[in-house]
Amino acid sequence: MDALPQVRRTDGQLADGRAITYYDRPDAPVRSATDLRTDLSVATSSELRWDALVGEWVVVAGHRQERTYHPRASACPLCPSTSDQWTEIPERDYQVAVFENRFPALTATTSAVPSAAGFDAPDGIAGGRCEVVCYSDRHDASAADLDPDRMTLVLQTWIDRTEVLRRDPHVQSILVFENRGREIGVTLDHPHGQIYAYPFVGPRDRAIAERVRTYRERHGRDLHADLIAAEVRSGERVVVADPHWVAFVPFAARWPFHVRIYPLRPVADLTELQPDEISSFAPLYLSVLRALDAVFGRSMPLIAAWHQGATHGDRTGSHAFMEISGWRRGPDRLKYLAGSESAGGVWISDVPAERSAAMLREALIT
Ligand SMILES: [Zn+2]
């Protein structure tokens, strides 16, 4: 088993009290710059409302209307600071940096509005946290442009954040994700992702956990493991695999380019990954991202998200995986959610899974 490259973590604070943490390889410069901004206003009120009819929480965060929207490259808040431009990152350069979102949907003070009580609203739901993860100090890079060592450092960062955030007793689930592409409403071009620590388990992960439980009761077997084994056996929808990971287009793919990436060994969350699994993830993930961009010869607007087991309570049968939804269905056409998807919750897929898997395999740079 190869030893992983070391990570040096430096915790700091921004001028308004928000936390910032640098993740660097040990030979990087020391991170000691002070945030000298004096014009930061903090707007962090948000509340949870229970939609009793569908049984789901809605986060109401009106202050997010004020958030930075497509700033000029020279005013990017995720670039390092310079002598005349202060940003969210006080240092003059960085490798990976994580800070609390200035316009968070969830904070430690988020709580359910009293009128949400009744109608079977779950009790004691409060708190949460939203973080921004900057992958590089290069404004014009994308995750696909990172070298494997930087992508590994990003994964090591996601692991450490998961470890830190799950210690919070209010946090019930942690979603590590990236939205990429102006086409789908991304407001900052700088390569970055986000982490939402929710005080509840979201409906999609709840539904998956329920399916896993029912399948185990009926068949005495693990649903994730059986799905992975079936995909590997058939190979028809597999995009790329190595001894530790497999990336495939799910049988009932919803998005034009829909990929699930699984560690072959079941892990409830990222903190359970072992060194050889961590070091082999980056080359595989980068090859998937680059294939997604190569399919139509232009950047694929996408959402990439880690589904992880609930942070507290029963994690039996949890098997963390990454899900990528690529929205481009043709060189100049995007998939939008229309009546059937938005109103009926029934997906109509434009590209059969076998076809998108074959296109991605062909686009792999070998
Ligand atoms: Zn930038």
Side-chain angles (χ1 to χ4, degrees):
M1 189 186 293
D2 295 337
L4 276 176
Q6 286 188 341
V7 181
R8 189 190 66 211
R9 174 179 147 177
T10 314
D11 289 310
Q13 212 170 45
L14 298 175
D16 57 6
R18 284 176 295 136
I20 182 166
T21 303
Y22 298 95
Y23 291 86
D24 289 293
R25 294 297 179 218
D27 56 356
V30 170
R31 306 304 182 191
S32 56
T34 305
D35 181 9
L36 297 175
R37 293 173 294 177
T38 53
D39 55 346
L40 293 179
S41 61
V42 189
T44 55
S45 61
S46 69
E47 61 185 34
L48 299 169
R49 296 188 177 206
W50 177 244
D51 184 335
L53 194 61
V54 296
E56 292 175 8
W57 288 105
V58 174
V59 181
V60 185
H63 59 269
R64 284 174 54 78
Q65 291 283 41
E66 311 303 317
R67 68 189 190 273
T68 316
Y69 188 79
H70 296 315
R72 304 181 321 279
S74 62
C76 172
L78 310 186
C79 277
S81 290
T82 62
S83 47
D84 44 33
Q85 177 75 44
W86 283 92
T87 71
E88 292 284 63
I89 297 157
E91 290 291 329
R92 297 302 161 101
D93 65 80
Y94 65 87
Q95 294 184 345
V96 175
V98 178
F99 58 86
E100 285 181 84
N101 196 321
R102 190 174 165 197
F103 303 97
L106 297 160
T107 71
T109 61
T110 300
S111 59
V113 286
S115 57
F119 302 111
D120 300 330
D123 283 335
I125 304 291
R129 183 163 160 128
C130 293
E131 298 185 335
V132 177
V133 182
C134 300
Y135 303 161
S136 164
D137 58 7
R138 272 181 54 207
H139 181 81
D140 60 352
S142 94
D145 300 323
L146 303 180
D147 64 50
D149 181 65
R150 178 60 58 84
M151 193 67 238
T152 298
L153 181 59
V154 171
L155 174 58
Q156 289 173 298
T157 302
W158 291 335
I159 292 169
D160 190 66
R161 297 321 299 166
T162 301
E163 183 73 54
V164 169
L165 293 167
R166 60 183 280 212
R167 284 189 215 130
D168 181 336
H170 295 290
V171 168
Q172 299 298 320
S173 65
I174 298 169
L175 188 72
V176 174
F177 67 98
E178 174 180 358
N179 307 324
R180 192 181 81 178
R182 286 187 173 213
E183 297 93 332
I184 63 170
V186 174
T187 52
L188 297 172
D189 293 328
H190 197 111
H192 72 288
Q194 301 184 62
I195 301 177
Y196 273 33
Y198 299 104
F200 49 80
V201 177
R204 191 161 165 78
D205 286 330
R206 237 182 342 162
I208 291 171
E210 181 58 26
R211 287 284 308 146
V212 167
R213 194 180 60 76
T214 311
Y215 188 86
R216 184 178 295 278
E217 280 169 10
R218 274 192 204 147
H219 306 285
R221 301 178 53 82
D222 181 67
L223 179 56
H224 290 289
D226 282 1
L227 284 169
I228 294 167
E231 291 297 346
V232 169
R233 211 166 37 239
S234 122
E236 212 182 353
R237 288 170 294 275
V238 171
V239 178
V240 59
D242 75 7
H244 303 290
W245 299 87
V246 61
F248 60 85
V249 180
F251 178 66
R254 299 174 172 212
W255 294 93
F257 289 88
H258 186 166
V259 181
R260 289 184 184 145
I261 303 179
Y262 268 97
L264 294 172
R265 189 179 63 88
V267 295
D269 65 26
L270 295 174
T271 67
E272 295 180 3
L273 288 174
Q274 289 178 348
D276 44 1
E277 293 162 336
I278 294 170
S279 51
S280 72
F281 173 75
L284 181 130
Y285 182 48
L286 291 170
S287 69
V288 172
L289 289 179
R290 289 167 188 167
L292 284 161
D293 286 344
V295 159
F296 296 117
R298 53 189 301 193
S299 174
M300 174 71 70
L302 58 82
I303 295 170
W306 282 105
H307 290 270
Q308 309 197 73
T311 52
H312 305 289
D314 186 12
R315 285 149 60 98
T316 313
S318 296
H319 191 147
F321 65 98
M322 178 184 253
E323 184 152 59
I324 304 176
S325 47
W327 290 33
R328 197 182 290 291
R329 61 190 175 92
D332 299 304
R333 281 177 301 171
L334 296 184
K335 166 77 178 172
Y336 286 110
L337 303 194
S340 187
E341 291 89 354
S342 293
V346 180
W347 284 67
I348 314 294
S349 171
D350 307 289
V351 186
E354 296 72 25
R355 179 164 159 69
S356 59
M359 289 171 78
L360 287 169
R361 280 197 300 267
E362 212 158 284
L364 283 172
I365 298 150
T366 48

